[in-house]
Amino acid sequence: WLKGRNLVQLVKTGVQSRGKGRYFKSVVCFFLCPDADCSRYNWPFNNEKVYRYVSEDNDYQPGTVFDGRYRFLLYDVDTSMGHGMIVDTMDASETFQRMQNLIDNNLSFLFAGLMKREDCKKTLVQNLCSLMNGAYSYENVCNVLDQMDAERDHEMQAYIRESEENENLMDISDYYTHMQMDSIREWARVTPGNLVKNLDEKWQMGEPYQLGIVTPEGATANVNTLQVSSKEWIGTYFPTCDTVLHAVVPTNKTFVGWQIQGKAYYEKDVRITQDMIVDGMVYAVMVVEDNPSAGLSLQAVKAKGSEDYLLVTNATMHPESTKGYYVADKDKVSHMNYLPEQILQPGETIKVICRSNVVDDDSGLFRTNFNLTEGEQAILGRSHQETRDMVKIPDLNLENGIYVKNPMTEVWSEELEASYDMM
C-alpha cells in the first residue's frame, strides 16, 4: 500500500480522519531538513531519501528508532522554496543554471533574502549558538555517535555483508566504518570554532564570549532554547544577540537568585548585557534553597480505559505524609478521592488505579471512583490548600504510552511505558 494512489489518498485524508491519521503515523515518519547554505549540483534528484532502520530479528519496538516505520527524509527545503515552481526544476538546463548560480555565489534565494533583515539574522545566530553549544558540541556528537554505533551494529553488519556479496556496491568494512566515525568526530571538533570565526568576520556579530554556568543539585538552567547539560557548563555566545538565562527549579526547591560576576539578580530570567562580560567571560551561579512547602506531586498518568492509573510521588528531600491529599478528575467534592494515610520517603511513588482498571491483583492499590478521559484534568490536591498539581489528559499516540512529567523541568511528555521506571 506504500505505492501509488493508496499512499496519496492516505496523506490527503489523514489530517481529517483521526483513525487514518494515527495509522499513517504508525508506519510513516516525515523529516524536513532545511539546508541554509545549499549548493548541491544535482538538485533536485538527491533530495528525497526513504529508509527504515534494520532491527535484529525484526524486533521492532514502538517509541524507538527501531519502530518499523519508513522514514521519508526531505532536505534542502530552502532551495526548494527558492525555486518557486516545481516545473522549473524539471527543466535540466534551467536547473543547471540556477544551481550554478547558487554554487558560484554561494547563495540560496530565500535564505539570502531573510539574512538582509537584522532580526532574522540574529534569530539564526541564536539558534546556531544553541546547536553549537548543545546538539553539535564535540562532546554530544561523540556520545551520540558511540551510542548509534552500538545500537546499529547489527544494521551496519548487514550493509557490510551486502557490499561483499554485490559487486556493484562499494566494498565497505568495519575499518571503513570507524574511519568515517573518526571523520565525523574531527568535523565536530573543528566546526564550532570555524562557525564562530565566520560569523564574527562576515556578519560582524562581535567578539564572542564564554558563558559559564554553575547550577546546584536538583536544578538546571536554560540558555535561550538550550538546556544546559551539566552542573558546571560553558558555552560560546555573541554580545550582539540576545542571550537569556532561565532558572529551572523543581518543586522541592525555591529559587533565590543569580550571582553574575559577583552581582545579585533576583529574577529567574536574566538577559546577558555587555557590562556583564569581563575579559571575554560571563560567570553565573544559580542559588536555590529547600522549599518547606513542597509536597507530593503527580508524576505520570495513563489513560487507556481498562489500564487507567496515576502515579503520585514525594518530590521533597524529606519523608512526607499522604494525609489530606486527594486525586480527582473534576473540581467537585464528589470526585475527590482521598489517599490512604501513609508515609512516603523522598522519591517514593504510589500507584493509584482508576475505576475501570483491570489488574490481576489490586491488593495494596488505591482505586478511584473515576476514569481518566482525554481532554479532562487529572488533579492532585490537599485539604484547605489550592490544587497542588494538575495536568490535562492528552491523546496518547503510542499503544503502550504513558504521560510523564520531567521532575526537573516539570514538562510533560509521552514515553513508552516499558521504558519508564514507575516504582
Side-chain angles (χ1 to χ4, degrees):
W1 66 268
L2 279 171
K3 298 180 180 180
R5 295 182 178 180
N6 290 336
L7 177 59
V8 174
Q9 187 63 27
L10 191 57
V11 173
K12 287 181 177 179
T13 61
V15 294
Q16 301 171 0
S17 167
R18 175 172 294 182
K20 288 184 179 179
R22 184 177 297 172
Y23 177 66
F24 183 73
K25 286 190 293 184
S26 72
V27 293
V28 176
C29 182
F30 281 93
F31 294 95
L32 297 182
C33 300
D35 187 340
D37 190 23
C38 51
S39 302
R40 302 186 183 277
Y41 66 90
N42 59 341
W43 192 93
F45 306 109
N46 69 335
N47 289 54
E48 301 154 11
K49 301 293 181 185
V50 182
Y51 60 96
R52 183 171 73 156
Y53 291 119
V54 177
S55 179
E56 189 172 4
D57 299 326
N58 289 321
D59 183 22
Y60 292 108
Q61 298 292 331
T64 71
V65 295
F66 303 110
D67 57 9
R69 291 195 297 173
Y70 290 88
R71 263 71 174 176
F72 284 73
L73 177 63
L74 312 176
Y75 53 95
D76 288 359
V77 176
D78 178 67
T79 301
S80 308
M81 296 173 68
H83 281 286
M85 295 290 290
I86 190 170
V87 293
D88 293 338
T89 68
M90 302 311 295
D91 181 333
S93 61
E94 181 72 3
T95 298
F96 175 80
Q97 292 174 9
R98 289 176 183 270
M99 290 300 100
Q100 193 62 48
N101 182 55
L102 289 177
I103 296 170
D104 290 344
N105 297 287
N106 198 31
L107 297 173
S108 61
F109 310 127
L110 179 61
F111 177 69
L114 288 174
M115 289 306 101
K116 293 179 181 179
R117 292 178 45 173
E118 287 299 316
D119 59 336
C120 291
K121 184 186 297 184
K122 289 184 177 181
T123 298
L124 176 69
V125 174
Q126 285 176 341
N127 284 281
L128 287 176
C129 286
S130 293
L131 288 171
M132 177 178 62
N133 295 310
Y136 284 101
S137 67
Y138 177 73
E139 295 77 13
N140 191 65
V141 168
C142 290
N143 289 337
V144 172
L145 192 63
D146 290 339
Q147 180 182 353
M148 290 175 64
D149 181 47
E151 288 182 349
R152 295 172 183 159
D153 179 67
H154 175 79
E155 182 178 5
M156 199 65 232
Q157 295 306 314
Y159 294 150
I160 291 174
R161 288 194 298 271
E162 186 178 2
S163 74
E164 293 172 346
E165 297 167 359
N166 189 339
E167 62 182 13
N168 295 321
L169 296 177
M170 181 181 70
D171 188 22
I172 59 177
S173 62
D174 282 319
Y175 173 78
Y176 174 83
T177 301
H178 289 288
M179 180 178 68
Q180 295 301 315
M181 290 174 61
D182 287 340
S183 297
I184 295 174
R185 291 189 184 95
E186 180 62 14
W187 172 88
R189 187 185 68 82
V190 302
T191 295
N194 292 338
L195 178 62
V196 168
K197 180 180 178 182
N198 289 331
L199 288 174
D200 183 26
E201 290 180 352
K202 294 183 178 181
W203 286 358
Q204 292 77 50
M205 302 309 297
E207 186 69 25
Y209 64 89
Q210 298 289 301
L211 173 61
I213 300 176
V214 177
T215 56
E217 190 67 33
T220 186
N222 291 342
V223 183
N224 293 334
T225 58
L226 174 66
Q227 183 175 329
V228 303
S229 55
S230 61
K231 300 303 175 186
E232 296 185 7
W233 180 88
I234 295 180
T236 302
Y237 290 88
F238 292 93
T240 52
C241 291
D242 287 341
T243 301
V244 178
L245 306 185
H246 173 71
V248 181
V249 183
T251 54
N252 64 336
K253 300 287 183 180
T254 298
F255 176 75
V256 176
W258 290 98
Q259 287 283 337
I260 302 178
Q261 308 294 50
K263 184 178 178 180
Y265 298 84
Y266 298 104
E267 298 294 330
K268 282 189 175 182
D269 292 348
V270 176
R271 189 181 307 276
I272 301 300
T273 57
Q274 186 70 48
D275 60 294
M276 296 178 182
I277 305 173
V278 178
D279 296 329
M281 182 74 186
V282 176
Y283 187 67
V285 179
M286 186 198 305
V287 181
V288 301
E289 62 184 13
D290 289 339
N291 181 5
S293 64
L296 306 186
S297 68
L298 289 176
Q299 185 60 43
V301 296
K302 181 169 185 177
K304 288 289 183 180
S306 62
E307 302 176 15
D308 286 8
Y309 64 79
L310 307 92
L311 298 181
V312 178
T313 297
N314 178 6
T316 74
M317 301 301 292
H318 54 77
E320 178 78 10
S321 173
T322 60
K323 183 178 181 179
Y325 281 94
Y326 63 85
V327 292
D329 65 338
K330 293 182 175 65
D331 192 15
K332 293 182 179 181
V333 174
S334 61
H335 286 254
M336 294 179 181
N337 294 245
Y338 283 85
L339 301 179
E341 188 174 343
Q342 65 182 97
I343 301 297
L344 295 184
Q345 298 301 316
E348 186 178 357
T349 297
I350 58 172
K351 186 174 185 177
V352 179
I353 61 177
C354 296
R355 183 180 61 209
S356 300
N357 188 299
V358 179
V359 292
D360 294 334
D361 181 12
D362 64 356
S363 60
L365 295 177
F366 177 66
R367 187 182 292 272
T368 70
N369 65 0
F370 60 83
N371 290 321
L372 298 175
T373 305
E374 178 189 343
E376 295 187 353
Q377 306 282 352
I379 301 170
L380 176 68
R382 195 173 189 181
S383 298
H384 311 300
Q385 294 186 16
E386 294 181 355
T387 299
R388 301 286 305 191
D389 213 348
M390 182 167 56
V391 62
K392 185 177 181 180
I393 306 299
D395 177 17
L396 297 177
N397 292 312
L398 297 176
E399 183 65 27
N400 295 307
I402 181 174
Y403 205 43
V404 180
K405 180 172 68 174
N406 185 312
M408 186 70 67
T409 63
E410 298 191 357
V411 173
W412 289 80
S413 61
E414 185 176 5
E415 294 185 12
L416 195 64
E417 185 177 24
S419 66
Y420 178 68
D421 183 12
M422 295 183 293
M423 305 300 289

